[in-house]
């Protein structure tokens, strides 16, 4: 039951001063403060229930908690209806089911993924309660003249109170809002003007998950705190957010097992591990990065740059007193050897395929004690790739064909796509014209010795990503014989920045593959049905 918390990307870090009460003498004792945060961080929206019942005394406390919520002008707009009649429950369930189908249609490409989500537990929950806004709200002008929806905000506070109290009571609660309000109002004989906003499913559950179900399913991720907090102007960051002490430490103080672990002074010799640690909210562990790092942008400002790809400033690097160094590939073997001899722990990954990238990300996350948080991100990446494949399959079923894609990693000599790029081209809807080269791990083995071979393989799309150098499509078009290539004839020559696709980490599996998918599906829209291009 419960246990570790999900703090995905909240950007906070461990701090020893956490237990100091912010409010001085007015603050509660440590254990009580911890209990409040525990309820907040362990509350979950529940859709799976274990039958049973909720004792009347518990229900009574939950209702009191709801009724003690804040409300605009103290209007207390909430009305709570217990649904005991099994036939009524069935009708509510049917209304939700109806709206679920409509929502799926409205979601378009994501509709199928949405239908796989469980979005209600109306038939299984011990209790069903409907929360509605009372009629006659027009008379409440205080706080609602410019924002009449403050009544909904107030009722949401009541539901949140109930949600937190239910978690502390060990009772699961799920908020279902997928319904047509007028239909629910009619089922429950509500007066004109009353507005149902929630069907609450309530009852015993087998477990509370550590992370939101929608996160585990890869539907959405919690945003980093720094992304939603501004100072003075919209979009202007608030400097200390993300560096604030972590409330998790307060909870950990009374509940062992949530403490920070793993290396605390990491040097990342390549970009992908840096990006990943930032995504995990673990950037405070990084003490040095690669000079090529651009993701996230702020890493360049925040961290010393101590390495190129093939070389590193070993003295400077050691002066940072790293307790772990992450590297990539046999090309960094010499740097790694020097560091190991100097007594540093070094992990050098050698991921080449999409699966190997995902495995590397899971291993890095485990090293810094973030497996749970990582699982959500990885599930989201997998889900997006799967969604892309499904969208491509639909296009193929509708008679479109995959474009032949030539991906150029370097121009002098020509080097074609590395394995993960080749795989991502396939996932995004294309077909790599040099699949036999993609399996070669080393650039020298992916050289296209005869440029006329590209002409012969007649790619429909050419994508350049000249490893750190600006791509020049006009030069590609000027190569002898290349003006006959369909991609050149139809202006289908594009660049994807190497930072987005040639790093075997989060970038390639998110922004990189999205760009591939956009280029490829735009080609399919225009030429996918045309067999002669
Ligand atoms: C206003 C509101 C309406 C919601 N409606 C639904 C719903 O219809 N079905 C559902 O499965 N979850 C619903 N949820 C739950 C959210 O999906 C959930 O809060 C979110 O995914 C985060 O997960 P967590 O609550 O477990 O932290 C709703 C939540 C809110 C605040």
């Amino acid at each position: 039951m419960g246990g570790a918390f999900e703090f995905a990307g909240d950007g906070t870090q461990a701090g020893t001063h956490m237990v100091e009460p912010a409010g001085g003498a007015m603050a509660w004792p440590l254990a009580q403060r911890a209990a409040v945060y525990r309820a907040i961080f362990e509350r979950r929206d529940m859709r799976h229930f274990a039958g049973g019942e909720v004792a009347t005394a518990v229900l009574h406390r939950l209702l009191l908690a709801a009724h003690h919520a804040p409300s605009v002008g103290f209007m207390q707009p909430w009305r709570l209806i217990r649904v005991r009649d099994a036939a009524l429950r069935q009708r509510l369930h049917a209304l939700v089911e109806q709206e679920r189908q409509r929502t799926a249609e409205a979601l378009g490409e994501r509709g199928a993924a949405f239908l796989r989500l469980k979005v209600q537990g109306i038939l299984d929950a011990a209790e069903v309660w409907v929360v509605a806004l009372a009629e006659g709200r027009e008379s409440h002008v205080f706080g609602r003249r410019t924002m009449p929806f403050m009544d909904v905000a107030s009722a949401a506070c009541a539901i949140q109170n109930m949600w937190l109290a239910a978690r502390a009571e060990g009772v699961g609660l799920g908020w279902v809002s997928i319904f047509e309000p007028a239909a629910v109002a009619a089922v429950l004989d509500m007066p004109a003007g009353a507005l149902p906003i929630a069907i609450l499913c309530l009852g015993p559950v087998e477990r509370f998950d550590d992370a939101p179900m929608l996160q585990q399913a890869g539907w959405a991720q919690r945003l980093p705190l720094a992304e939603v907090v501004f100072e003075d102007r919209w979009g202007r960051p608030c400097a200390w957010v993300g560096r604030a002490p972590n409330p998790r430490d307060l909870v950990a103080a009374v509940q062992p097992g949530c403490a920070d672990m793993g290396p605390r002074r990491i040097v990342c010799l390549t970009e992908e591990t840096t990006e990943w640690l930032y995504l995990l909210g673990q950037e405070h562990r990084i003490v040095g990065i690669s000079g090529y790092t651009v993701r996230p942008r702020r890493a360049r400002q925040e961290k010393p740059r101590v390495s190129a790809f093939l070389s590193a400033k070993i003295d400077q690097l050691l002066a940072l007193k790293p307790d772990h160094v992450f590297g990539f590939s046999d090309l960094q073997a010499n740097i790694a050897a020097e560091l190991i001899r100097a007594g540093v722990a070094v992990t050098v990954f050698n991921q080449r395929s999409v699966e190997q990238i995902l495995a590397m990300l899971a291993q890095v996350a485990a090293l810094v004690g973030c497996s749970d948080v990582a699982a959500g991100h990885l599930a989201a990446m997998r889900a997006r790739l799967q969604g892309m494949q499904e969208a491509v399959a639909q296009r193929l079923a509708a008679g479109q064909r995959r474009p032949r894609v030539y991906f150029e990693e370097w121009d002098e000599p020509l080097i074609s796509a590395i394995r993960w790029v080749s795989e991502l081209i396939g996932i995004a809807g294309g077909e790599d014209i040099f699949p036999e080269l993609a399996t070669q791990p080393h650039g020298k083995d992916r050289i296209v010795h005869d440029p006329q071979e590209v002409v012969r393989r007649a790619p429909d799309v050419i994508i350049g990503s000249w490893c750190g150098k600006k791509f020049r499509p006009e030069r590609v078009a000027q190569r002898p014989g290349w003006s006959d290539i369909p991609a050149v004839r139809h202006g289908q020559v594009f660049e994807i920045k190497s930072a987005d696709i040639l790093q075997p980490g989060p970038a390639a599996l998110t922004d990189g593959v999205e760009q591939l998918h956009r280029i490829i599906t735009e080609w399919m829209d225009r030429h996918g049905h045309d067999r002669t291009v």
Side-chain angles (χ1 to χ4, degrees):
M1 291 270 178
F5 309 114
E6 165 277 327
F7 272 83
D10 62 356
T12 52
Q13 67 182 49
T16 49
H17 33 281
M18 182 59 223
V19 290
E20 284 165 21
M26 296 300 289
W28 294 344
L30 176 64
Q32 292 173 15
R33 282 188 286 144
V36 172
Y37 286 110
R38 183 173 178 196
I40 291 169
F41 296 129
E42 287 194 26
R43 181 208 55 78
R44 282 277 78 82
D45 183 77
M46 300 305 297
R47 297 131 206 194
H48 299 89
F49 293 89
E53 54 186 39
V54 184
T56 308
V58 174
L59 279 178
H60 208 176
R61 287 199 288 273
L62 300 185
L63 294 171
L64 272 176
H67 194 50
H68 279 250
S71 60
V72 69
F74 204 17
M75 73 180 284
Q76 305 161 68
W78 45 78
R79 299 293 180 268
L80 300 104
I81 306 167
R82 187 184 192 195
V83 178
R84 300 197 62 198
D85 182 330
L88 284 180
R89 198 193 270 230
Q90 285 287 353
R91 287 171 69 189
L92 293 177
H93 177 263
L95 289 175
V96 169
E97 191 47 35
Q98 201 176 59
E99 176 52 29
R100 197 172 76 91
Q101 298 299 335
R102 289 185 187 144
T103 300
E105 281 162 32
L107 278 167
E109 201 176 304
R110 293 193 92 188
F114 169 76
L115 284 176
R116 284 196 292 273
L117 301 170
K118 183 163 171 63
V119 291
Q120 53 86 12
I122 295 177
L123 296 182
D124 316 316
E127 293 276 332
V128 170
W129 288 73
V130 171
V131 180
L133 298 178
E135 81 281 31
R137 301 187 305 286
E138 318 70 55
S139 62
H140 294 272
V141 176
F142 182 170
R144 292 183 63 250
R145 198 183 69 79
T146 55
M147 291 190 282
F149 46 85
M150 285 300 108
D151 50 17
V152 184
S154 304
C157 291
I159 296 172
Q160 174 73 347
N161 267 10
M162 202 168 172
W163 222 332
L164 294 171
R167 179 62 193 90
E169 298 279 4
V171 172
L173 187 155
W175 180 337
V176 181
S177 60
I178 300 172
F179 56 78
E180 183 58 50
V184 169
V187 166
L188 298 175
D189 286 337
M190 292 188 193
L195 182 74
I197 62 163
I199 300 174
L200 300 183
C201 302
L202 206 71
V205 292
E206 258 158 30
R207 59 194 293 265
F208 288 94
D209 283 329
D210 293 335
M213 229 168 283
L214 292 190
Q215 176 166 314
Q216 294 178 55
W219 184 263
Q221 299 298 307
R222 192 177 305 285
L223 300 169
L225 182 60
E227 226 170 80
V228 298
V229 181
F230 305 144
E231 196 166 70
D232 286 337
R233 297 279 187 288
W234 183 276
R236 200 177 282 177
C238 187
W240 48 265
V241 169
R243 277 184 237 126
N246 194 333
R248 170 175 39 182
D249 289 2
L250 179 67
V251 184
V254 289
Q255 189 196 317
C258 301
D260 242 344
M261 57 165 276
R264 285 158 194 283
R265 300 189 61 79
I266 299 173
V267 170
C268 301
L269 296 177
T270 52
E271 302 91 290
E272 61 279 358
T273 39
T274 299
E275 183 178 14
W276 183 226
L277 288 170
Y278 266 85
L279 272 173
L280 294 173
Q282 297 299 308
E283 63 270 25
H284 56 281
R285 296 175 187 264
I286 304 176
V287 294
I289 60 172
S290 151
Y292 294 120
T293 306
V294 290
R295 295 173 62 104
R297 287 231 156 260
R298 66 186 174 102
R300 289 185 79 74
Q301 276 90 54
E302 293 172 356
K303 308 289 179 186
R305 286 166 258 157
V306 290
S307 68
F309 186 53
L310 299 176
S311 62
K313 302 166 190 161
I314 299 286
D315 289 346
Q316 274 184 33
L317 201 157
L318 290 174
L320 294 170
K321 299 196 184 329
D323 57 3
H324 210 105
V325 173
F326 288 129
F328 169 66
S329 93
D330 50 313
L331 296 174
Q332 295 193 323
N334 291 339
I335 306 175
E338 236 178 297
L339 292 170
I340 293 166
R341 283 193 204 102
V344 181
V346 180
T347 303
V348 177
F349 295 99
N350 225 331
Q351 71 277 18
R352 304 291 165 153
S353 67
V354 170
E355 272 311 315
Q356 288 166 356
I357 293 174
L358 290 164
M360 176 280 289
L361 296 176
Q363 288 170 51
V364 169
L367 263 170
V368 294
C370 287
S371 290
D372 290 347
V373 176
H377 286 279
L378 297 178
M381 290 178 197
R382 278 188 194 282
R384 180 59 189 131
L385 295 181
Q386 196 188 332
M388 235 176 235
Q389 283 171 308
E390 285 169 10
V392 169
Q394 276 177 16
R395 285 171 175 272
L396 298 180
Q400 296 187 359
R401 74 166 175 88
R402 291 175 180 270
R404 292 179 296 274
V405 178
Y406 169 55
F407 185 97
E408 190 171 280
E409 216 181 279
W410 193 246
D411 59 335
E412 294 169 315
L414 305 188
I415 297 183
S416 81
I418 196 164
R419 181 163 167 195
W420 70 81
V421 175
S422 179
E423 290 179 3
L424 291 175
I425 288 170
I427 289 168
E431 187 187 324
D432 180 9
I433 62 165
F434 287 112
E436 76 280 13
L437 297 184
T439 50
Q440 300 297 326
H442 298 120
K444 67 178 171 45
D445 298 323
R446 293 196 308 280
I447 292 176
V448 180
H449 293 284
D450 177 8
Q452 292 310 308
E453 188 54 30
V454 179
V455 180
R456 279 190 288 277
R457 297 197 186 194
D460 302 298
V461 172
I462 294 176
I463 297 169
S465 189
W466 290 346
C467 212
K469 183 168 82 171
K470 180 146 182 47
F471 178 63
R472 309 287 296 271
E474 70 284 0
R475 284 202 198 149
V476 171
Q478 285 159 6
R479 291 174 188 160
W482 282 47
S483 56
D484 291 337
I485 294 176
V488 176
R489 282 208 318 268
H490 294 109
Q492 296 293 302
V493 183
F494 305 95
E495 176 179 25
I496 296 182
K497 296 273 180 227
S498 45
D500 291 340
I501 190 83
L502 291 182
Q503 297 172 12
L509 299 191
T510 55
D511 292 349
V513 72
E514 291 294 350
Q515 290 174 61
L516 284 173
H517 191 52
R518 200 174 54 244
I519 291 170
I520 288 169
T521 51
E522 280 176 14
W523 181 92
M524 284 170 131
D525 287 340
R526 262 189 243 154
H527 305 290
H529 288 287
D530 187 350
R531 303 282 141 183
T532 59
V533 285

